[in-house]
Amino acid sequence: MLKLSTLIISLVIVTSTYAQTYTIAGYIEDANTGERIIGAYIVDSISQNTAQTNAYGFYSLKNVGKDAVIQAIFTGFQSDRIPVRLINDTLINLKIYKVNEIKEVKIISSRYRRGANSQLGLITIPVSSLAQIPALGETDLIKSLQNQAGIKGGIEGSAGIFVRGGNAGENLFMLDDVPLYNISHLYGFFSVFNSSAIKDIKLLTGCFPAKYGGRVSSVIDIRSRDGNTKSIKGEFSLGFVSSKFTIEGPLLSNKTTFIISGRRSYFDLFAKPLKKTGILDENFPDYYFYDLNARITHTFSEKNKIYFSYYQGKDKIQNKEAHTITTSTTENTSQNQSEIINESWDESSGWGNIISSLRWNHIFGKSFFSNTTLAYSSYNYFTQNQYKEIGSNIENNYNVNYNSDITDFIIKTDFDFAISNKHSLTFGIGNTFHTFNPGKNKYSMNNILQNVNTDTSFTNELLHANEPSLYIGDLFEISNKITLNFGARLSGFISDSTNYYNIEPRIAVNYAITPHLVFKSGYSRMVQYMHLLSSSSVSMPTDLWVPALKGLRPIESDQINTGFAYDWKDSYLLSVELYQKWLSNTTDILDGVSLIADITPWYNKTTQGNGLAKGIEVSLEKQQGKLTGSIHYTLSSSTRKYQELNNGLSFPFKFDRKHDFNISVNYRINAKWDISVMWVYGSGYRATLPVEKYNANVSIFDTNTFAGEEIAFFPSRNNYKLPDYHRLDIGLHYKTKNRIGEHNLSFDIYNAYNHHNQISAYYTYAFNYGYLLPMIPTITYTYKF
């Protein structure tokens, strides 16, 4: 019996020693800048186990034997192969280099880049590719998103996106985990995102992971750069519309880094001298916009790091006009008097965002990672109109002001837990405290001569609400063929008058028929507790954010996706995706009302209904070699239905466009020169136009219509389709280095064959169209040191 016990104990010891495995965890960093890399892989060539970094560059590689050879890999980068002998779990930070800087290392298989097994509905855009897209003055993130399958860009030049039949307000734009409520500069021609300050871009259009919520159509998750840990670096760019600068580096030591990036337009600076010379009319409005991004990071230890981020952006347009007039008065037949009166008008409007956040990264052991965020986000829109009339005997002042804003305070904690290399959990909890000001109108008049002094305000009630959330997501590679991503989100909206609670299930599955051919399918439910009201056919700063209160219900979407992806010869990626999305409680404004001028409360101007969107998206990408590019095609339809609009009948959504096609190609001529070409085609957008006009013949008892007044008959909403849209953009880019730094020149032509694309239509005695952008050549110079 003693011999048997001894044998069993010996077998257990031998087995446990043989089966002893360890965990290697840490961060993957750019060797040149110290930036932590999102989405990089770490590979152990002995055990063949792999792991991927999260949104903060952290990885956890499990089930590694006592001997391992690890290597970090990212698109265009990789590390040296590092042999490791383990006696316990350990933290190892890996540094990666550009592939052309480490000639001795063999380029790893392309299965570690974005391939056929990527998540359904996820589009990852390398920041480096932004500079390869022909630009209207400067590279813009949103313009790149508008070229993806399933994304529609609104009218020409606008910075909005409309995803799979959704409205502009149904997209969640997040900068460093904080939502932005308005992303447009120059009335939508450019976005607020400064490409020099961005590190990572992810666009989700379906099969949303459980951690994301609050919008029903898409999530755009943007991460800022941390700053160079090695040395002070900088960048200055002079563009067609604006100039920008970036400076970054260590602060006191390499444990603390900073980055500051700013951008400003100069329409107002050019306008003043041009007005004096007469080239511009003296009443031409002054306009400017600016952005400021700042971040400080500090590493306390291998397990603790904090980030403080700040963003502020603003647009302002102002139109001033002044006149001096002389009036003549007659007191009697023999005496005339004259009076000099100074008149002035000052009209201005503006909008802007401010966001800030404090985040703390902490590692619990080698498998458990947390990020805690405290954040603030605000958006404001205002208009101011002032008229003054001053003379020796009179002084009149008239003021009309409008203001709306939304403010959020956010607290949340997110966790990543690696159960194994093929099984991981994400979960978290958080709350957003909203304050809504849905619009305040203020009117004042001061007339000294008539002794009139009035001050009147029409203010919508300030509204407060909490939006709590709790989620859990599970990513499980069941076998070499099946990967399952499922979870659920519990969300709510709590105010003094109304409480909503919703469960939002999510599931997605990938089935690898072969290593290069993957079938994908998924379902997701999303709930949105606020609405963006718009009275125009384009997303504008005048649009109004309102909560799901005062009779409005939250928007709900249920979306199913299915498709496949094929990675051909590790060079071409073909993906096909079909989707159908059901929208409930979509919101629109009633016919004949104004969001700003009408003092009626906003909740009496709205109606709710349903929407249906469906389509097929086809993409072909070539990601490697001197010649790279993509082809995207979307066939889709989108409709809306409201009982109080269009006689209760279904009608096309205003951004319903049946066909969307674009092709973009970039060719690297040599180390200094590359050329890019992009051609865009799309069916025309929808417009509401009359089909008949007639003169009214009414009785004297009708007080709403006058006899002889022209009446227009509209048979239905969005009854007319504008002509098809197409445009060719060309870019030529030059890059060189010398002892003082790197120099980049971009020569771009927007709308190279000068096609007049119609953005609007109106009817007099025939159809007339509005046009916007002709052919525009631009030059941009960037200097990096």
Side-chain angles (χ1 to χ4, degrees), residues 531 553-556 583-587 608-611:
H531 305 268
R553 297 188 59 81
I555 312 173
E556 299 174 0
L583 291 162
S584 302
N585 305 321
T586 59
T587 304
Q608 290 195 291
N610 301 313

Side-chain angles (χ1 to χ4, degrees), residues 35-75:
E35 286 279 349
R36 291 180 174 176
I37 305 300
I38 301 170
Y41 283 88
I42 182 170
V43 185
D44 173 24
S45 58
I46 294 179
S47 67
Q48 294 299 307
N49 289 326
T50 65
Q52 190 176 23
T53 59
N54 66 7
Y56 298 92
F58 174 78
Y59 73 89
S60 179
L61 181 65
K62 307 181 80 67
N63 300 324
V64 178
K66 68 176 182 178
D67 291 308
V69 179
I70 59 175
Q71 184 179 27
I73 302 159
F74 186 63
T75 305

Side-chain angles (χ1 to χ4, degrees), residues 82 229 251 284 301 323 392 402 582:
I82 301 173
T229 64
L251 195 64
F284 189 85
S301 65
H323 297 289
S392 57
Y402 173 83
W582 296 265

Side-chain angles (χ1 to χ4, degrees), residues 17-316:
T17 301
Y18 177 77
Q20 181 69 53
T21 60
Y22 305 96
T23 297
I24 303 174
Y27 294 94
I28 297 178
E29 302 173 344
D30 187 321
N32 293 324
T33 66
E35 286 279 349
R36 291 180 174 176
I37 305 300
I38 301 170
Y41 283 88
I42 182 170
V43 185
D44 173 24
S45 58
I46 294 179
S47 67
Q48 294 299 307
N49 289 326
T50 65
Q52 190 176 23
T53 59
N54 66 7
Y56 298 92
F58 174 78
Y59 73 89
S60 179
L61 181 65
K62 307 181 80 67
N63 300 324
V64 178
K66 68 176 182 178
D67 291 308
V69 179
I70 59 175
Q71 184 179 27
I73 302 159
F74 186 63
T75 305
F77 292 80
Q78 62 190 55
S79 72
D80 297 322
R81 293 164 58 88
I82 301 173
V84 180
R85 170 152 288 193
L86 300 170
I87 57 174
N88 51 37
D89 295 343
T90 188
L91 289 171
I92 299 177
N93 294 336
L94 294 174
K95 300 185 183 301
I96 60 174
Y97 305 82
K98 286 187 176 180
V99 171
N100 58 10
E101 295 179 4
I102 46 176
K103 306 284 187 183
E104 70 277 7
V105 178
K106 181 181 178 181
I107 297 177
I108 205 74
S109 168
S110 65
R111 69 189 180 99
Y112 298 111
R113 62 174 170 81
R114 184 166 71 91
N117 207 31
S118 60
Q119 177 184 331
L120 188 67
L122 170 65
I123 300 171
T124 303
I125 300 176
V127 176
S128 58
S129 70
L130 298 181
Q132 299 174 351
I133 300 173
L136 182 58
E138 64 175 75
T139 58
D140 189 87
L141 163 63
I142 301 302
K143 295 298 186 291
S144 178
L145 296 181
Q146 290 174 351
N147 297 327
Q148 304 299 318
I151 312 297
K152 303 182 190 301
I155 70 166
E156 182 176 41
S158 70
I161 63 172
F162 303 85
V163 181
R164 292 182 172 178
N167 215 334
E170 296 168 10
N171 308 304
L172 176 61
F173 287 92
M174 300 180 68
L175 180 61
D176 297 326
D177 278 337
V178 185
L180 275 166
Y181 284 96
N182 188 286
I183 60 155
S184 68
H185 280 318
L186 194 60
Y187 283 99
F189 277 90
F190 299 95
S191 76
V192 300
F193 301 108
N194 183 347
S195 59
S196 299
I198 295 173
K199 174 167 65 174
D200 185 74
I201 308 162
K202 288 184 175 64
L203 168 65
L204 291 144
T205 60
C207 294
F208 303 93
K211 69 176 293 185
Y212 296 111
R215 301 293 187 275
V216 296
S217 286
S218 76
V219 176
I220 299 89
D221 190 350
I222 300 165
R223 305 281 170 160
S224 299
R225 295 170 50 209
D226 297 337
N228 197 304
T229 64
K230 308 298 181 182
S231 60
I232 299 293
K233 296 291 183 181
E235 174 183 330
F236 174 77
S237 180
L238 180 64
F240 174 70
V241 174
S242 63
S243 291
K244 57 184 179 179
F245 76 93
T246 302
I247 187 167
E248 59 181 312
L251 195 64
L252 302 179
S253 72
N254 61 5
K255 287 190 173 183
T256 305
T257 63
F258 77 95
I259 180 170
I260 299 175
S261 187
R263 176 175 58 164
R264 194 192 191 280
S265 67
Y266 24 70
F267 293 107
D268 58 327
L269 303 180
F270 286 163
K272 291 177 181 178
L274 292 176
K275 288 178 183 179
K276 291 181 179 179
T277 59
I279 297 176
L280 278 181
D281 186 273
E282 63 177 8
N283 297 320
F284 189 85
D286 293 331
Y287 186 97
Y288 72 87
F289 68 79
Y290 72 84
D291 294 303
L292 178 65
N293 297 75
R295 171 182 276 197
I296 295 177
T297 65
H298 179 73
T299 303
F300 289 98
S301 65
E302 288 182 324
K303 293 186 176 182
N304 293 282
K305 186 172 184 177
I306 62 169
Y307 306 77
F308 175 74
S309 303
Y310 180 83
Y311 167 81
Q312 181 172 342
K314 184 179 180 180
D315 287 63
K316 185 174 181 180

Side-chain angles (χ1 to χ4, degrees), residues 585-647:
N585 305 321
T586 59
T587 304
D588 209 334
I589 66 170
L590 296 169
D591 293 328
V593 301
S594 170
L595 291 176
I596 295 179
D598 189 347
I599 63 174
T600 304
W602 55 270
Y603 45 85
N604 290 332
K605 303 176 184 180
T606 58
T607 184
Q608 290 195 291
N610 301 313
L612 176 66
K614 54 187 176 181
I616 179 171
E617 301 165 358
V618 181
S619 296
L620 177 63
E621 302 177 37
K622 184 178 186 297
Q623 305 175 55
Q624 295 180 335
K626 282 192 169 185
L627 180 68
T628 58
S630 62
I631 299 173
H632 300 293
Y633 171 72
T634 303
L635 173 66
S636 63
S637 70
S638 177
T639 58
R640 293 286 190 272
K641 186 175 182 180
Y642 301 89
Q643 287 299 318
E644 296 181 86
L645 299 176
N646 202 55
N647 296 316

